[in-house]
Amino acid sequence: MALANGENHEKRTADRSHSLYTVIKRLCHALVVAGVVAMTIVLIVLLQQYQNEWLKVQTQFSGESVARQYAKLLEKPLSNYVNAQSISTQSTGTKNSENQSTTDTTRDSAIAITNIENVLKVLTSEPHIINLAVFNSDGKYIAPLPKIPSVIELSKSDTLTPLTFVEDIHNEDGVLLGYVNIHMNTNAVLENPLTLRSQLLFILLILLGLALILGVYMTRAFYKSRPWIIARLGQK
Protein backbone atom coordinates (compact mmCIF):
# COMPACT_ATOMS: atom_id res chain seq x y z
CA MET A 1 0.00 0.00 0.00
CA ALA A 2 2.79 2.37 0.97
CA LEU A 3 4.63 1.43 -2.23
CA ALA A 4 1.56 2.25 -4.33
CA ASN A 5 1.16 5.60 -2.58
CA GLY A 6 4.81 6.40 -3.25
CA GLU A 7 4.46 5.56 -6.92
CA ASN A 8 1.35 7.74 -7.21
CA HIS A 9 3.15 10.61 -5.50
CA GLU A 10 6.09 10.32 -7.89
CA LYS A 11 3.72 10.17 -10.84
CA ARG A 12 1.88 13.30 -9.72
CA THR A 13 5.17 15.08 -9.17
CA ALA A 14 6.36 14.08 -12.67
CA ASP A 15 3.07 15.23 -14.18
CA ARG A 16 3.33 18.60 -12.43
CA SER A 17 6.93 18.99 -13.63
CA HIS A 18 5.94 18.09 -17.17
CA SER A 19 2.99 20.51 -17.08
CA LEU A 20 5.22 23.31 -15.77
CA TYR A 21 7.79 22.58 -18.47
CA THR A 22 5.08 22.64 -21.15
CA VAL A 23 3.73 25.98 -19.88
CA ILE A 24 7.20 27.54 -19.81
CA LYS A 25 7.99 26.18 -23.28
CA ARG A 26 4.77 27.53 -24.75
CA LEU A 27 5.32 30.87 -23.02
CA CYS A 28 8.83 31.08 -24.49
CA HIS A 29 7.51 30.20 -27.94
CA ALA A 30 4.80 32.87 -27.62
CA LEU A 31 7.40 35.48 -26.59
CA VAL A 32 9.64 34.50 -29.50
CA VAL A 33 6.77 34.71 -31.99
CA ALA A 34 5.66 38.08 -30.57
CA GLY A 35 9.24 39.35 -30.79
CA VAL A 36 9.55 38.20 -34.40
CA VAL A 37 6.24 39.88 -35.32
CA ALA A 38 7.29 43.12 -33.59
CA MET A 39 10.70 43.14 -35.28
CA THR A 40 9.04 42.45 -38.64
CA ILE A 41 6.69 45.42 -38.21
CA VAL A 42 9.56 47.68 -37.14
CA LEU A 43 11.65 46.48 -40.09
CA ILE A 44 8.83 47.20 -42.56
CA VAL A 45 8.29 50.69 -41.13
CA LEU A 46 12.02 51.49 -41.18
CA LEU A 47 12.35 50.12 -44.70
CA GLN A 48 9.45 52.28 -45.89
CA GLN A 49 10.95 55.37 -44.26
CA TYR A 50 14.34 54.61 -45.76
CA GLN A 51 12.86 54.17 -49.24
CA ASN A 52 10.94 57.45 -48.98
CA GLU A 53 14.05 59.31 -47.83
CA TRP A 54 16.12 57.66 -50.54
CA LEU A 55 13.64 58.67 -53.26
CA LYS A 56 13.51 62.18 -51.84
CA VAL A 57 17.29 62.46 -51.96
CA GLN A 58 17.38 61.12 -55.51
CA THR A 59 14.78 63.59 -56.80
CA GLN A 60 16.19 66.53 -54.82
CA PHE A 61 19.75 65.92 -55.96
CA SER A 62 18.88 65.51 -59.64
CA GLY A 63 16.48 68.47 -59.62
CA GLU A 64 18.86 70.86 -57.90
CA SER A 65 21.72 69.78 -60.17
CA VAL A 66 19.62 70.38 -63.30
CA ALA A 67 18.45 73.76 -61.97
CA ARG A 68 22.03 74.92 -61.38
CA GLN A 69 23.13 73.86 -64.86
CA TYR A 70 20.15 75.52 -66.55
CA ALA A 71 20.75 78.73 -64.59
CA LYS A 72 24.31 78.81 -65.97
CA LEU A 73 23.07 78.28 -69.53
CA LEU A 74 20.51 81.09 -69.19
CA GLU A 75 22.97 83.54 -67.68
CA LYS A 76 24.16 85.10 -70.97
CA PRO A 77 20.79 85.59 -72.75
CA LEU A 78 19.16 86.90 -69.57
CA SER A 79 22.06 89.28 -69.03
CA ASN A 80 21.53 90.66 -72.55
CA TYR A 81 17.83 91.13 -71.83
CA VAL A 82 18.52 92.93 -68.54
CA ASN A 83 21.04 95.22 -70.27
CA ALA A 84 18.53 96.04 -73.02
CA GLN A 85 15.86 96.81 -70.43
CA SER A 86 18.28 98.98 -68.50
CA ILE A 87 19.14 101.00 -71.61
CA SER A 88 15.44 101.39 -72.39
CA THR A 89 14.77 102.67 -68.86
CA GLN A 90 17.65 105.13 -69.04
CA SER A 91 16.44 106.44 -72.40
CA THR A 92 12.97 107.02 -70.99
CA GLY A 93 14.36 108.66 -67.89
CA THR A 94 16.42 111.20 -69.90
CA LYS A 95 13.37 112.08 -72.01
CA ASN A 96 15.07 110.91 -75.18
CA SER A 97 12.52 111.40 -77.94
CA GLU A 98 14.52 109.95 -80.76
CA ASN A 99 12.52 107.21 -82.47
CA GLN A 100 15.65 105.41 -83.59
CA SER A 101 16.89 104.95 -80.01
CA THR A 102 13.51 103.64 -78.88
CA THR A 103 13.35 101.28 -81.82
CA ASP A 104 16.85 99.96 -81.13
CA THR A 105 16.15 99.22 -77.47
CA THR A 106 12.85 97.55 -78.31
CA ARG A 107 14.55 95.43 -80.96
CA ASP A 108 17.35 94.47 -78.55
CA SER A 109 14.81 93.41 -75.92
CA ALA A 110 12.89 91.33 -78.49
CA ILE A 111 16.10 89.68 -79.68
CA ALA A 112 17.10 88.93 -76.08
CA ILE A 113 13.70 87.33 -75.35
CA THR A 114 13.95 85.30 -78.56
CA ASN A 115 17.38 84.04 -77.50
CA ILE A 116 16.01 83.09 -74.09
CA GLU A 117 13.12 81.21 -75.70
CA ASN A 118 15.49 79.39 -78.05
CA VAL A 119 17.56 78.21 -75.10
CA LEU A 120 14.39 77.16 -73.27
CA LYS A 121 13.24 75.12 -76.28
CA VAL A 122 16.49 73.17 -76.27
CA LEU A 123 16.37 72.60 -72.52
CA THR A 124 12.70 71.58 -72.61
CA SER A 125 13.47 68.88 -75.17
CA GLU A 126 14.82 66.74 -72.34
CA PRO A 127 12.30 63.95 -71.53
CA HIS A 128 12.17 64.71 -67.81
CA ILE A 129 11.48 68.43 -68.28
CA ILE A 130 7.85 69.53 -68.57
CA ASN A 131 8.20 73.30 -68.61
CA LEU A 132 10.70 76.06 -67.93
CA ALA A 133 10.06 79.69 -67.08
CA VAL A 134 12.36 82.67 -66.62
CA PHE A 135 11.65 85.63 -64.33
CA ASN A 136 13.56 88.83 -63.74
CA SER A 137 14.99 89.85 -60.38
CA ASP A 138 11.66 91.43 -59.41
CA GLY A 139 9.75 88.21 -60.08
CA LYS A 140 8.20 89.43 -63.34
CA TYR A 141 7.53 86.72 -65.93
CA ILE A 142 9.77 87.03 -69.02
CA ALA A 143 9.69 83.88 -71.13
CA PRO A 144 8.50 81.72 -72.77
CA LEU A 145 5.38 83.17 -74.31
CA PRO A 146 2.58 82.25 -74.00
CA LYS A 147 2.90 81.78 -70.26
CA ILE A 148 3.40 78.19 -69.13
CA PRO A 149 0.72 76.43 -67.01
CA SER A 150 1.03 76.55 -63.23
CA VAL A 151 1.80 73.53 -61.04
CA ILE A 152 -1.88 73.33 -60.06
CA GLU A 153 -2.96 73.11 -63.69
CA LEU A 154 -0.30 70.49 -64.44
CA SER A 155 -1.37 68.44 -61.41
CA LYS A 156 -4.92 68.20 -62.78
CA SER A 157 -3.69 66.41 -65.90
CA ASP A 158 -1.23 64.09 -64.17
CA THR A 159 -1.54 61.58 -61.33
CA LEU A 160 1.72 62.78 -59.75
CA THR A 161 2.42 66.41 -58.91
CA PRO A 162 5.35 67.69 -61.00
CA LEU A 163 8.59 68.40 -59.18
CA THR A 164 9.32 72.13 -59.04
CA PHE A 165 12.76 73.68 -58.57
CA VAL A 166 13.76 77.34 -58.57
CA GLU A 167 17.34 78.56 -59.04
CA ASP A 168 18.83 82.05 -58.99
CA ILE A 169 20.55 83.33 -62.13
CA HIS A 170 23.60 85.52 -61.45
CA ASN A 171 26.03 87.21 -63.78
CA GLU A 172 29.81 86.91 -63.54
CA ASP A 173 29.91 89.66 -60.91
CA GLY A 174 27.38 87.85 -58.72
CA VAL A 175 24.55 90.30 -59.43
CA LEU A 176 21.10 88.70 -59.37
CA LEU A 177 19.60 88.75 -62.87
CA GLY A 178 16.51 86.64 -62.29
CA TYR A 179 15.24 83.14 -61.65
CA VAL A 180 14.58 79.95 -63.57
CA ASN A 181 11.57 77.85 -62.59
CA ILE A 182 11.68 74.19 -63.64
CA HIS A 183 8.76 71.73 -63.72
CA MET A 184 10.04 68.14 -63.93
CA ASN A 185 8.14 64.98 -64.80
CA THR A 186 7.97 63.01 -61.56
CA ASN A 187 7.49 59.67 -63.36
CA ALA A 188 10.54 60.24 -65.56
CA VAL A 189 12.72 61.35 -62.65
CA LEU A 190 11.72 58.38 -60.47
CA GLU A 191 11.89 55.77 -63.23
CA ASN A 192 15.50 54.70 -62.61
CA PRO A 193 15.38 54.93 -58.78
CA LEU A 194 12.16 52.89 -58.68
CA THR A 195 13.66 50.27 -61.00
CA LEU A 196 16.73 50.03 -58.78
CA ARG A 197 14.53 49.74 -55.69
CA SER A 198 12.57 46.88 -57.27
CA GLN A 199 15.82 45.08 -58.06
CA LEU A 200 17.05 45.53 -54.49
CA LEU A 201 13.77 44.18 -53.10
CA PHE A 202 14.02 41.18 -55.43
CA ILE A 203 17.56 40.48 -54.22
CA LEU A 204 16.35 40.79 -50.61
CA LEU A 205 13.58 38.25 -51.24
CA ILE A 206 16.12 35.83 -52.73
CA LEU A 207 18.34 36.20 -49.65
CA LEU A 208 15.36 35.61 -47.35
CA GLY A 209 14.43 32.49 -49.32
CA LEU A 210 17.98 31.16 -49.09
CA ALA A 211 18.07 31.89 -45.35
CA LEU A 212 14.76 30.03 -44.88
CA ILE A 213 15.96 26.98 -46.83
CA LEU A 214 19.27 26.98 -44.96
CA GLY A 215 17.45 27.22 -41.62
CA VAL A 216 15.16 24.29 -42.48
CA TYR A 217 18.05 22.02 -43.46
CA MET A 218 20.12 23.05 -40.43
CA THR A 219 17.18 22.22 -38.17
CA ARG A 220 16.71 18.82 -39.85
CA ALA A 221 20.42 18.12 -39.53
CA PHE A 222 20.33 19.00 -35.83
CA TYR A 223 17.40 16.69 -35.05
CA LYS A 224 18.88 13.91 -37.18
CA SER A 225 22.18 14.11 -35.33
CA ARG A 226 20.61 14.64 -31.90
CA PRO A 227 20.45 10.91 -30.94
CA TRP A 228 24.08 10.46 -31.98
CA ILE A 229 25.15 13.52 -29.96
CA ILE A 230 23.23 12.28 -26.89
CA ALA A 231 24.77 8.83 -27.25
CA ARG A 232 28.28 10.25 -27.47
CA LEU A 233 27.71 12.45 -24.46
CA GLY A 234 26.27 9.43 -22.56
CA GLN A 235 29.41 7.41 -23.22
CA LYS A 236 31.52 10.10 -21.64
Side-chain angles (χ1 to χ4, degrees):
M1 185 69 179
L3 182 60
N5 290 334
E7 290 178 353
N8 291 333
H9 177 71
E10 291 178 357
K11 184 177 181 181
R12 287 195 298 269
T13 302
D15 290 339
R16 285 197 297 269
S17 300
H18 180 71
S19 299
L20 180 61
Y21 170 75
T22 303
V23 170
I24 294 175
K25 184 176 71 172
R26 290 179 178 177
L27 180 61
C28 291
H29 285 173
L31 291 176
V32 170
V33 171
V36 170
V37 172
M39 287 188 292
T40 302
I41 294 174
V42 172
L43 180 61
I44 293 174
V45 172
L46 292 177
L47 181 61
Q48 186 67 31
Q49 292 179 352
Y50 167 76
Q51 289 178 347
N52 292 335
E53 290 295 326
W54 183 69
L55 290 175
K56 181 179 178 181
V57 170
Q58 291 292 321
T59 54
Q60 189 109 13
F61 176 78
S62 60
E64 291 177 351
S65 177
V66 169
R68 285 193 297 268
Q69 295 175 15
Y70 284 11
K72 286 291 184 182
L73 294 173
L74 289 166
E75 175 188 339
K76 185 64 176 177
L78 184 58
S79 179
N80 294 336
Y81 172 80
V82 172
N83 292 335
Q85 289 295 109
S86 177
I87 294 173
S88 176
T89 303
Q90 292 174 4
S91 299
T92 303
T94 56
K95 298 181 180 180
N96 187 352
S97 59
E98 296 181 3
N99 294 332
Q100 184 64 36
S101 177
T102 304
T103 303
D104 290 342
T105 54
T106 302
R107 185 180 67 249
D108 292 342
S109 297
I111 293 174
I113 291 179
T114 301
N115 291 335
I116 293 175
E117 291 182 339
N118 290 336
V119 175
L120 293 179
K121 287 179 181 178
V122 175
L123 299 179
T124 312
S125 63
E126 294 292 330
H128 58 283
I129 300 297
I130 299 176
N131 282 318
L132 291 171
V134 177
F135 300 82
N136 65 9
S137 58
D138 297 326
K140 181 181 178 181
Y141 187 92
I142 297 176
L145 295 174
K147 193 173 182 179
I148 65 172
S150 65
V151 178
I152 298 176
E153 294 174 349
L154 292 173
S155 301
K156 293 178 181 178
S157 60
D158 198 350
T159 56
L160 291 177
T161 303
L163 299 171
T164 302
F165 297 93
V166 179
E167 185 69 21
D168 299 344
I169 303 176
H170 297 271
N171 61 12
E172 296 178 353
D173 298 327
V175 178
L176 179 64
L177 301 174
Y179 312 90
V180 57
N181 186 18
I182 304 175
H183 295 158
M184 303 181 68
N185 188 331
T186 306
N187 291 321
V189 174
L190 294 179
E191 182 178 1
N192 291 333
L194 289 176
T195 301
L196 180 59
R197 186 180 70 172
S198 300
Q199 294 174 349
L200 291 175
L201 290 177
F202 180 69
I203 294 174
L204 179 62
L205 291 176
I206 292 177
L207 292 176
L208 290 176
L210 291 175
L212 178 62
I213 295 173
L214 182 62
V216 170
Y217 278 96
M218 288 182 65
T219 303
R220 285 177 57 86
F222 171 76
Y223 280 104
K224 290 285 185 179
S225 59
R226 185 180 178 186
W228 179 81
I229 294 174
I230 295 175
R232 292 296 299 270
L233 292 175
Q235 292 178 359
K236 295 180 179 180

